[in-house]
Amino acid sequence: MRKKDILCNMTGDHNLFFSYSIKKLTGRIDEYSALVNFLPDCKEKSFDIFGSAAACFGMPAVQYNKRVQWAGPGYRMLMYLPLYEKWCLSAYYAPDGAPLFWYFDISRKNFLDENGMPCTDDIFLDLVITLEGEAVTLDEDELADAFEAGIVSQADVDDAYAVRDRIIKSGWNDIGLLIKFCAELINGFDEPNANGCSWNFSPLRPGHELDGVPGCENFAKIEPLIKGWSDNKKYRIETADGTKLLLRISDANEYARKKGEYGMLEHAASIGLPLSAPVSFGFCNGGKNVYQLLTWVEGEDLGAELPCLTETEQYAAGLKAGELLKKLHSLPAHKNSCGVSSLPKDAEPWEVRFFRKVQGRIDFYNAKLRNTEGVPSSPDAWERGDLTVQYLIEKKHLLEGRPQTFNHGDFNASNLILMPDGRLGVIDFNFYNGCCGDPWWEFDPVNWGGEVNPYYCTGLLRGYFYGGPDCTGWKQPKETINPPHKFFEIFSYYLAYDALAALCDTSENNQGEPEEGVRHMENVFNWLDGFKNPVPNWYLKNLYVQWIDGMPCRLKEPFDFSFLSKYGRVFKVFDDQDSGNICFGADDGKSKRFVKFAGAPAARISMTREEAIQMMKKAVKIYTDLAHPALANLLYSEEIGGGLACVFEWRDAYYMGKQYPQSREKFMRIPIEEKLKAFEDILLFHAHAAKKGYVAIDFYDGSIMYDYEKRCVVIYDIELYEKAPVINRMGRMYGSSRFMSPEEFSLGAELDEVTNVYAMGAAAFELFGDNRSRSFEKWTLSEKLYETAKKAVSDVRADRQQSLRQLIDEWTA
């Protein structure tokens, strides 16, 4: 069912206004509009400064599933359109008011038509958020078809995916917050008309709560920010002159607390900390609310960005975060709710203050958990709980004499902003409680029940004690860059308290689900080996990262890279290759070069440095023999820096391998026809290699880069390719198991062109399906092409295509 058909069915006899761009079978775009008023005076309403509209009406709702289904009467749909965004949100509700799912239509733009009515110019790509919190991208095939037909440009495609990513990163896939936001919209509606429809041009302004905020008449855009669990309402503001601000609205009874928080922000901003700096503060909405107007920190949520970074980049981000936290802890604590001063002389010692909290959790555990039939239910959970209580009592002395400084209160990656210049900014000081605490209590490695990012957290601890990546002259020997043992002893005490608090608080249903508390207790117990080792097992004590022209490079040990200055300033490092080589982008001011170096103690090297150098020397001949448009252009090689450097022509290309998440994600979003062309180029190169007598060893997605300017693949890693005949001399050969045939695991087996057919079939599943399951359900191309790829990855050699040329012919037939 096309979007036009869905729109007709959704509108029915109801008074719905909306505009979609519809892809016709002819490949053209037509505008379909149903222009009817929700209310008799709808046309007289005008868009105000808040630039948003919403509607709610009864309808036969679409239920999200693999197929389009229809529900009966009583279902409702909420539609929300922010004029300043490139998406429209539709929320669907069952007759009992239960939410079904949320649907984001991504658009080129949202706008007002000639009648002053809100419209959206749909651009095919859609995003569904399910009740389980899964973000499902829809209609990628339609977007690709539109690109192929020339209906949309590459810029449109990139922008559509960027909008999709921004929706997720902004927190719209958080079910609890999404439900809350939509409920607030509905509460701000006009009375429904006879058809059960209601309309509101400015649902973000119930009760005129922004009245009294200085300059609000110049607010051109207001975007609600739903991420986070505080009771504050948060908005991203853009003024008429383009200035961006953050606005927080709280109940008036929080005045004293918010005033204290505002004072601390003033002090923090005065010493140059990168944060949302104060602009103004006071009452609004006739004294019913209190506002904080702050500067906007431009950038991306670090918590959302971390999975997209390489492991080395995650570590570097942790170093920056640790250095920033150290600066925050240099701030004194509040003496009272309005002023800033050093810690009051009569303040309770930290060991008294904190152990009161500990004792409260212990009492709750013993009185209401340990002696009941409730959560946790497993004997192991009770054993871990008892040992945690015992540990907290026995190690109470660790709290003695601890200093008290300013605490941010919620210093986690999602409250840090990765700014365009690479620095980190800190936001959301609303957990600040007007007091202070042990600075080492501030380290929060993970949310309850979540998984630790070992690279980020290791960097966080080291950056706190030794400084961040700006300290490029780090001279500490490798064995001294880990935090002191005393820190880990105290840190493990706070981890134990957090585990008990999670168990108690989630069991009371105050925060989260009971299972989260049980899981977090188990995690902490495992991290600390049952409290036998204060150093968490996720801490990477042997991790070594070196800085080259300000760029991080992960190694096994220090290495002198000063020779790289011959090629220019290093602006990019690729240190995550299984081959053991490290690659660099270097710019001498006249031209850029791609430098592949063998001989450094690379972190992932699986051979000796001497073996890596010899392998690179052999590769020079291979690059010469296999010269091809899809192969990197080798300019020259030379012995230098105690190793061997191969210098290639620089291409603005990005790795497709899983170890580089950001560039891989970008490649996986290119239109299907372009991806097909890339795959066919890979096939043709390997057919060319086979004709030259070579067998591809260690081919995988990390061997491939993609040039977005020239729209073609670039293959770099061919060091292990060998002339036939090739015999398996290792048992398990080098390579990624996702791409390796059975004979590459069998000692003495012959490896040949049929082996490479398997690798090419695996590449097809990597690009167009799921290379783990290789199921048809996750395949994105035709059934015929699926059968071709499935044949190529047969475990039985005789069942595969017997040459790469045969595979190409079947694939392109």
Side-chain angles (χ1 to χ4, degrees), residues 31-52:
E31 287 291 319
Y32 178 86
S33 299
L35 297 175
V36 194
N37 297 335
F38 278 101
L39 298 170
D41 63 341
C42 194
K43 285 185 180 177
E44 270 113 50
K45 290 178 179 272
S46 60
F47 250 74
D48 65 14
I49 57 174
F50 296 94
S52 60

Side-chain angles (χ1 to χ4, degrees), residues 3 56 270 295 322 452 488 526 591 622 672 685 688 709 811:
K3 289 179 180 174
C56 187
S270 71
T295 59
V452 168
F488 283 115
N526 291 334
S591 60
I622 300 173
I672 196 71
F685 169 74
H688 163 73
E709 181 180 351
W811 183 266

Side-chain angles (χ1 to χ4, degrees), residues 438-614:
D438 180 357
W440 291 358
W441 186 37
E442 189 90 275
F443 293 93
D444 184 7
V446 68
N447 294 326
W448 291 350
E451 297 297 325
V452 168
N453 182 315
Y455 292 91
Y456 172 76
C457 289
T458 298
L460 176 68
L461 302 188
R462 289 183 177 176
Y464 186 85
F465 285 95
Y466 300 109
D470 292 335
C471 302
T472 52
W474 247 6
K475 297 299 183 183
Q476 291 92 341
K478 180 181 176 182
E479 61 272 13
T480 67
I481 64 172
N482 293 318
H485 188 74
K486 181 68 172 178
F487 165 79
F488 283 115
E489 288 185 316
I490 295 173
F491 181 46
S492 65
Y493 190 88
Y494 293 139
L495 288 177
Y497 164 79
D498 200 41
L500 188 63
L503 195 64
C504 294
D505 289 351
T506 56
S507 296
E508 281 190 301
N509 288 321
N510 290 338
Q511 303 176 44
E513 297 297 329
E515 301 80 30
E516 292 179 355
V518 176
R519 189 163 57 249
H520 191 64
M521 171 70 77
E522 181 179 3
N523 285 345
V524 171
F525 200 78
N526 291 334
W527 295 342
L528 303 176
D529 190 21
F531 302 116
K532 297 174 186 175
N533 185 356
V535 181
N537 62 10
W538 47 255
Y539 180 76
L540 305 172
K541 61 181 180 181
N542 294 320
L543 178 68
Y544 180 77
V545 172
Q546 190 168 314
W547 300 88
I548 307 168
D549 293 338
M551 303 301 299
C553 179
R554 183 156 55 117
L555 301 166
K556 286 185 176 179
E557 58 190 31
F559 187 77
D560 183 6
F561 281 108
S562 60
F563 68 89
L564 288 173
S565 62
K566 174 181 178 179
Y567 311 110
R569 182 181 181 278
V570 172
F571 62 87
K572 186 69 177 178
V573 175
F574 303 95
D575 62 358
D576 225 357
Q577 298 301 103
D578 290 328
S579 64
N581 301 320
I582 301 178
C583 303
F584 306 92
D587 186 351
D588 64 4
K590 298 178 181 178
S591 60
K592 294 180 179 179
R593 293 288 182 262
F594 184 88
V595 182
K596 178 177 282 192
F597 182 76
R604 297 186 65 187
I605 193 169
S606 54
M607 61 190 78
T608 68
R609 289 162 60 182
E610 290 71 22
E611 288 173 333
I613 293 170
Q614 289 304 313

